[in-house]
Amino acid sequence: MSSPLPVETGWRRTTDICVSSAVWRLPAPAHCDHLTRDTGPEAEATLIKRVNHQSTSQEFAAAAPKLRCISCGRVSDRAGQTFRCTQCGDLVEIAYPDWKANELVRSSARLKALWRERKTSPHAADQSGVWRFRELLPGLRSLDSVVTLREGNTPVYQLQRSARLSGVDTVLTKHQGMNPTGSFKDTGMTVATSFAKEAGFRWVACASTGNTSASMAAYAARAGMQALVLIPQGKISWSKLAQALDYGALTCQLRTDFDGCMRVLNEVVLRMPAYLLNSVNPYRIEGQKTVALELVEQLNWELPDHIIVPGGNLGNSSAIGKAFLEMKELGLISRLPKLSVVQAEGANPLVRMIRSKGEHLVPVEAETAATAIRIGNPASWKKALGVLKATEGAVDEVSEVEIAQAKAEIGSEGIGCEPASAVTLAGLKKLVRRGFIKPAETVVLILTGHFLKDPEFTLKFHRGELFAGGKDDSAASALLSYQRAPIVLDASADAVLAALERAENS
Ligand code: F0G
């Protein structure tokens, strides 16, 4: 691995990322006029052909984004290395002032038809479940810059047992763990990495509880960039660590927690020109929006009543909420589902803030076996609070035992997920008990990570080791019926048949 110090040419010394240089050219107004005058299926087919053709060239006009501060509202074309407002220091988000004048974006029927049509296209960007929706994403100078592993395109499953257990008629899950590196991070990483590549960065960097680092390392490798990963030593799963190593990242295990890694990284990116790829990066948020677009498209543009998302650094809930608000603004949907966030009891700063009616988030020292969401000082809490209010969603927290049980239940439906994702089902049960979710309502759980992300948790659970000797030991005895420890037997058919009989009779 080469030195991370700036010893070679090719380093960008600027501390600013130029957004205005990363914009597709706008369409000629005459072209738009023509498209809006023609109606009917024939005109639509022509439109799709034409836009598809153009969208694979540099001629296509996508949204010209601006960066807007979420607190003071300052709008600019440029962001500093840490994606914070130069005036007040708060986070920035991407806004699309040009949408108002963009005929294609204002036509929901045409957008829907175009996105559907792209599913059969051979072009890499169209095969991505993220870039297929590129009219609602910031525009690259060229689609050739797209770094894609064909992310998105994840399935929606019905969870019948979970529905029965939680007392609602319909529970669906959108399984983001089915992304190329096994987590939802890929949908944001494809967008932000493409911008980093186009801007000429050599290094990308992140602090992570494991999934961001795995995803970033993969996309950096695809783009020919170097990846710097900061992870808390001993506090992420081995599978995620292994992914970062396999994809060639410079992986530093710091003697601290995730929040400590984030602190160090913020300093590192100010001292070297690395592109920050945590979810404070608003380009990642834009990519992560597409899960909502893909979901409602899969549901034939019929909306569920509730969406439930796990809460860690709170970027994902912000992204999904932003997507629904934008879809409503553009007339793609006519109402908003309620977006709720569930945290682990030991990593619950948002829940605490809302319960105490506080105006500012007070960081906590986080502790949970759901290591992906072991975060005590979530960077995007204000964005998440905004979408919770706008969609009239709720927050709740779940215990370690509730997480383990929900994970086993999702597993027993043949789906499986990592522990952090299982907070959604555990939270659903609580929200039903609280009366916030009604039995006849439709709920979508966003499963954020693949089952194979943390097999150690699962093995410990089934061997009865997860809570042994700890404070949850007695509460965990309720989970005995879920445990399926492997049985060691002599190599004989008799022994196997006896085990089978015991299983039948138990
Ligand atoms: N679920 C999984 C599987 C995650 O990996 C994360 C976050 C979350 C939920 C929470 O999402 O942070 O957007 O609220 N993982 C990050 C990481 C922090 O570094 O991989 P969030």
Side-chain angles (χ1 to χ4, degrees):
M1 177 62 63
S2 57
S3 157
L5 296 170
V7 288
E8 292 175 22
T9 54
W11 284 89
R12 282 172 57 95
R13 293 213 168 265
T14 170
T15 52
D16 277 343
I17 296 155
C18 180
V19 175
S20 55
S21 70
V23 172
W24 277 318
R25 262 182 284 145
L26 283 170
H31 172 82
C32 290
D33 282 343
H34 175 65
L35 293 179
T36 47
R37 272 199 305 272
D38 282 346
T39 51
E42 232 184 272
E44 187 126 303
T46 318
L47 165 80
I48 289 165
K49 259 195 220 132
R50 198 178 301 160
V51 174
N52 261 341
H53 169 70
Q54 289 171 342
S55 64
T56 56
S57 77
Q58 292 190 21
E59 295 303 312
F60 176 62
K66 294 278 178 200
L67 294 169
R68 182 175 58 205
C69 172
I70 60 165
S71 277
C72 72
R74 183 171 184 273
V75 175
S76 69
D77 289 334
R78 300 164 85 84
Q81 294 282 83
T82 55
F83 295 101
R84 289 194 175 265
C85 172
T86 46
Q87 193 163 275
C88 75
D90 217 329
L91 294 180
V92 294
E93 65 178 0
I94 291 185
Y96 300 94
D98 291 359
W99 278 359
K100 283 197 187 77
N102 185 327
E103 293 291 342
L104 176 60
V105 171
R106 307 289 328 168
S107 168
S108 53
R110 285 174 170 172
L111 276 182
K112 288 175 186 176
L114 177 61
W115 293 338
R116 196 171 51 239
E117 181 73 14
R118 282 187 184 141
K119 286 184 180 179
T120 55
S121 156
H123 195 274
D126 292 339
Q127 288 176 0
S128 160
V130 171
W131 292 101
R132 191 159 67 80
F133 299 104
R134 54 188 169 272
E135 284 69 25
L136 304 197
L137 298 178
L140 290 159
R141 274 199 302 277
S142 161
L143 270 194
D144 294 338
S145 306
V146 165
V147 183
T148 176
L149 287 164
R150 315 298 190 272
E151 50 294 312
N153 301 312
T154 56
V156 174
Y157 299 119
Q158 187 149 13
L159 294 180
Q160 282 172 337
R161 183 159 185 250
S162 300
R164 266 197 316 279
L165 290 166
S166 48
V168 285
D169 292 346
T170 311
V171 178
L172 304 171
T173 170
K174 174 82 171 148
H175 206 325
Q176 291 297 88
M178 300 299 182
N179 268 290
T181 76
S183 84
F184 71 97
K185 306 287 181 179
D186 296 345
T187 55
M189 213 51 82
T190 180
V191 174
T193 318
S194 302
F195 275 92
K197 183 182 163 194
E198 205 164 71
F201 280 90
R202 244 189 84 210
W203 281 88
V204 291
C206 74
S208 181
T209 57
N211 281 326
T212 300
S213 47
S215 180
M216 182 189 80
Y219 281 83
R222 296 299 297 167
M225 292 186 287
Q226 306 286 315
L228 170 67
V229 161
L230 303 188
I231 47 172
Q233 188 192 19
K235 288 165 193 156
I236 77 165
S237 88
W238 286 107
S239 348
K240 298 175 188 177
L241 173 60
Q243 282 183 291
L245 301 179
D246 207 41
Y247 302 137
L250 171 62
T251 306
C252 305
Q253 294 184 277
L254 305 192
R255 290 184 205 93
T256 179
D257 55 12
F258 169 82
D259 300 300
C261 290
M262 204 60 241
R263 236 182 358 258
V264 173
L265 183 70
N266 279 329
E267 194 181 326
V268 169
V269 297
L270 291 177
R271 290 168 61 177
M272 74 171 266
Y275 186 79
L276 179 71
L277 275 175
N278 277 92
S279 57
V280 292
N281 180 321
Y283 293 89
R284 264 197 52 197
I285 298 294
E286 292 309 289
Q288 286 175 213
K289 282 186 334 194
T290 56
V291 60
L293 293 158
E294 192 176 80
L295 170 70
V296 283
E297 186 190 56
Q298 285 165 312
L299 300 180
N300 209 14
W301 298 97
E302 283 181 26
L303 284 168
D305 300 298
H306 294 271
I307 310 266
I308 305 184
V309 193
N313 218 11
L314 298 173
N316 204 30
S317 35
S318 311
I320 294 172
K322 187 172 191 277
F324 280 112
L325 292 169
E326 288 176 357
M327 278 193 271
K328 174 120 189 304
E329 184 198 324
L330 294 174
L332 286 158
I333 55 174
S334 56
R335 64 176 177 85
L336 293 170
K338 292 187 166 77
L339 182 85
S340 296
V341 174
V342 182
Q343 296 193 300
E345 273 178 10
N348 62 351
L350 184 71
V351 175
R352 282 173 188 238
M353 186 188 92
I354 291 176
R355 284 220 178 122
S356 64
K357 299 195 165 43
E359 300 216 326
H360 291 281
L361 184 126
V362 179
V364 300
E365 197 154 317
E367 189 51 72
T368 169
T371 51
I373 50 173
R374 197 174 183 277
I375 295 172
N377 189 15
S380 296
W381 67 268
K382 273 192 200 164
K383 287 185 180 179
L385 191 62
V387 299
L388 277 166
K389 282 185 183 159
T391 68
E392 298 175 4
V395 288
D396 216 324
E397 61 186 345
V398 291
S399 71
E400 296 296 292
V401 172
E402 287 167 331
I403 294 172
Q405 178 173 342
K407 183 174 138 42
E409 286 162 354
I410 294 167
S412 75
E413 296 212 50
I415 302 295
C417 63
E418 70 164 287
S421 306
V423 302
T424 53
L425 175 58
L428 165 62
K429 292 182 202 163
K430 284 202 149 171
L431 292 170
V432 172
R433 282 203 296 276
R434 270 171 55 184
F436 180 75
I437 294 179
K438 309 281 181 298
E441 290 182 316
T442 301
V443 182
V444 175
L445 309 179
I446 307 291
L447 295 184
T448 44
H450 194 277
F451 159 75
L452 289 173
K453 284 287 190 172
D454 197 351
E456 208 183 337
F457 179 103
T458 313
L459 287 175
K460 279 189 177 165
F461 173 79
H462 286 288
R463 288 183 177 137
E465 297 164 1
L466 196 59
F467 300 107
K471 68 175 177 44
D472 292 320
D473 205 353
S474 61
S477 58
L479 304 184
L480 271 177
S481 64
Y482 291 88
Q483 287 166 7
R484 306 264 177 277
I487 314 163
V488 180
L489 298 173
D490 286 335
S492 81
D494 281 350
V496 174
L497 290 170
L500 202 75
E501 202 176 322
R502 279 197 298 279
E504 282 278 7
N505 296 331
S506 67

